[in-house]
Amino acid sequence: MLSDRSRPVIEATLPVVADHVGEIAKRFYAHLFDAHPELFDGVFNRGNQAAGTQQVALAGSVAVFASALVQTPEQVPERLLSRIAHKHASLGITPAQYDVVHEHLFWAIADVLGEAVTPEVAAAWDEVYWLMAYALINQERGLYSARGVRPETVWREWEVAERVEETADVITFRVKRVDDRLVKTSLPGQYVTVRVPMPDGVRQPRQYSLTRADDGEHRQFSVKRVRGGDGPDGEVSNHLCDHVGVGDRLTMSLPFGDVVLDDSGRPVVFASAGIGITPMAGMLSHLAAAGSHLPITLLHADVDEESFALRRQVIEDVRRLPGATVHTWYERGAHGTLPVDGTHAGVMDLDDVVLPEGAVYYLCGPLPFMQAVRSALLDRGVPARDVQYEVFGPDLWQADSQTEPAPDAVHA
């Protein structure tokens, strides 16, 4: 909890910090990597840096955390902290790295804001940072302990056993273990970090959802090729799609992720768009393997049927579930050959389907898609606590700040 001494200082300075968060982040990362270029090897994704998407992630999350401490001092933003902790654990982040980040972040704050950073202001923001850092360190320690690993031992080698071209831009990799270590079962909906050596020798990390239930020997994930457009192409995704085949070895983390399948026995609704189908495929696979009889509804939006990644696996699993239905929406028209319960044209519209009472909802896809679906569900009276969503990339704080309603609405 923020001290009485620091709270008014944070309230007064939060607007100016928020206004300058982009420049603070830019200078922070430049200063950090100048002093510690080794952090590009296995920790930070330089593709995100080049695209600019990483630039405000850390500084922005600190600002959101500070805002939450001021607005709701009796609680911390648990969802944001949990997401960051799971991502950090999948990268093997250590407590010592928080000291490094602190040094360079506060240098950047002082460099950008200049004389406005008085000793009193510096002390107040220092308190915010360490409240957040210690909360994350404690959560990450618990995640490591629960899996019986240390940060440096979250990694393991796997061999590619199968490579499947799902669509023109999506490849599924099925990997098998190559040692005698036990494969601890992942929770439905979790992801792994894949750490890939680039041609220059630098290892680059990227998170991918597990798209099939574990069988004790194999894991499966799907990769969408990232075409840069106005920015750079995705370094990891393109390397995996272009250069990794059967027999090659990959380094992967243990599974992490806090958006996992609810086990309360309630109806389940999955709503996805594009490559957002990947965590849904993993959860459906778990349900099919368990022989679930729950009422399950899958809603998926895509460009067209040929763009629907994992469609054969997903539909097969849905048809193995006696209480499951599936509806699709295609931008290019309501055309398709899949045995679904409804095919619709255009963007996803929840008015096209009947949703079960008392369901728990899972969303994954582009941020505007999740915002629209979540808003539609809340307008229907679905409690905010019953809508979970998965976000990938460095913009976790932005997703929460843009997708979550105001605190009063959450707890109404």
Side-chain angles (χ1 to χ4, degrees):
M1 185 177 295
L2 194 61
S3 67
D4 292 338
R5 179 187 63 187
S6 294
R7 181 170 294 106
V9 178
I10 298 300
E11 287 180 325
T13 56
L14 186 56
V16 68
V17 170
D19 286 345
H20 292 84
V21 72
E23 185 61 24
I24 290 169
K26 181 179 178 181
R27 298 196 196 185
F28 157 70
Y29 280 112
H31 203 254
L32 174 69
F33 293 133
D34 184 58
H36 296 278
E38 73 278 4
L39 290 176
F40 266 136
D41 186 17
V43 178
F44 286 93
N45 182 288
R46 59 190 179 188
N48 289 336
Q49 290 288 324
T53 53
Q54 180 80 54
Q55 308 296 19
V56 295
L58 187 142
S61 65
V62 173
V64 169
F65 183 80
S67 178
L69 291 180
V70 169
Q71 294 176 15
T72 55
E74 71 283 355
Q75 64 186 47
V76 295
E78 292 289 352
R79 176 171 290 189
L80 176 64
L81 291 176
S82 179
R83 287 170 189 235
I84 295 173
H86 275 268
K87 186 170 182 180
H88 282 182
S90 81
L91 292 164
I93 297 297
T94 67
Q97 288 171 315
Y98 284 91
D99 292 299
V100 175
V101 166
H102 175 269
E103 174 189 350
H104 295 278
L105 178 61
F106 277 74
W107 173 89
I109 291 173
D111 187 54
V112 172
L113 300 184
E115 294 181 357
V117 185
T118 64
E120 182 183 37
V121 169
W125 280 97
D126 190 72
E127 181 180 344
V128 168
Y129 177 84
W130 286 113
L131 282 171
M132 183 174 179
Y134 286 134
L136 288 171
I137 288 169
N138 287 334
Q139 287 198 30
E140 289 154 23
R141 183 182 294 118
L143 291 172
Y144 294 137
S145 177
R147 289 155 178 78
V149 296
R150 302 181 303 278
E152 63 271 21
T153 60
V154 301
W155 304 102
R156 181 174 182 175
E157 277 205 336
W158 298 76
E159 183 178 302
V160 177
E162 188 178 359
R163 173 189 161 114
V164 178
E165 294 193 10
E166 302 282 353
T167 72
D169 284 330
V170 178
I171 305 292
T172 288
F173 294 93
R174 188 162 174 80
V175 298
K176 64 181 180 181
R177 65 176 182 170
V178 295
D179 55 35
D180 294 328
R181 291 169 59 191
L182 179 68
V183 178
K184 294 187 177 180
T185 303
S186 62
L187 296 176
Q190 290 191 310
Y191 56 80
V192 293
T193 293
V194 181
R195 193 171 66 182
V196 182
M198 294 292 109
D200 61 1
V202 174
R203 297 168 298 174
Q204 286 290 277
R206 198 76 173 183
Q207 284 80 36
Y208 295 105
S209 292
L210 293 171
T211 52
R212 190 185 290 272
D214 300 334
D215 62 6
E217 296 288 335
H218 301 84
R219 287 208 164 115
Q220 178 180 298
F221 64 94
S222 300
V223 178
K224 180 177 182 179
R225 184 189 299 274
V226 176
R227 301 187 187 276
D230 294 334
D233 290 344
E235 191 173 19
V236 175
S237 69
N238 280 275
H239 180 86
L240 289 169
C241 291
D242 291 338
H243 301 294
V244 175
V246 173
D248 291 332
R249 291 197 174 186
L250 293 171
T251 301
M252 291 167 34
S253 75
L254 289 171
F256 290 96
D258 64 335
V259 180
V260 297
L261 192 63
D262 179 82
D263 60 0
S264 64
R266 298 164 60 191
V268 180
V269 178
F270 300 114
S272 57
I275 198 61
I277 190 62
T278 53
M280 312 310 185
M283 288 189 268
L284 281 166
S285 178
H286 277 265
L287 289 165
S292 174
H293 284 71
L294 290 174
I296 297 163
T297 305
L298 172 64
L299 313 175
H300 181 71
D302 227 311
V303 175
D304 53 30
E305 189 172 273
E306 291 301 307
S307 302
F308 184 173
L310 292 158
R311 58 188 179 274
R312 295 176 183 86
Q313 174 190 316
V314 165
I315 297 303
E316 180 180 330
D317 284 338
V318 166
R319 292 308 166 210
R320 290 170 59 194
L321 294 162
T325 59
V326 55
H327 287 258
T328 57
W329 284 259
Y330 298 133
E331 294 176 17
R332 292 178 178 168
H335 314 295
T337 60
L338 292 174
V340 299
D341 299 284
T343 302
H344 312 272
V347 299
M348 185 178 294
D349 185 347
L350 298 185
D351 289 337
D352 292 338
V353 295
V354 177
L355 299 176
E357 293 291 331
V360 59
Y361 292 81
Y362 297 89
L363 317 181
C364 191
L367 186 53
F369 164 81
M370 293 195 294
Q371 288 174 314
V373 174
R374 194 174 194 280
S375 295
L377 292 172
L378 296 182
D379 288 345
R380 287 185 173 211
V382 175
R385 65 178 178 273
D386 290 341
V387 185
Q388 298 193 53
Y389 50 94
E390 184 58 274
V391 182
F392 292 107
D395 60 343
L396 299 177
W397 72 277
Q398 292 176 313
D400 273 344
S401 64
Q402 294 179 42
T403 308
E404 288 293 315
D408 287 343
V410 172
H411 300 288

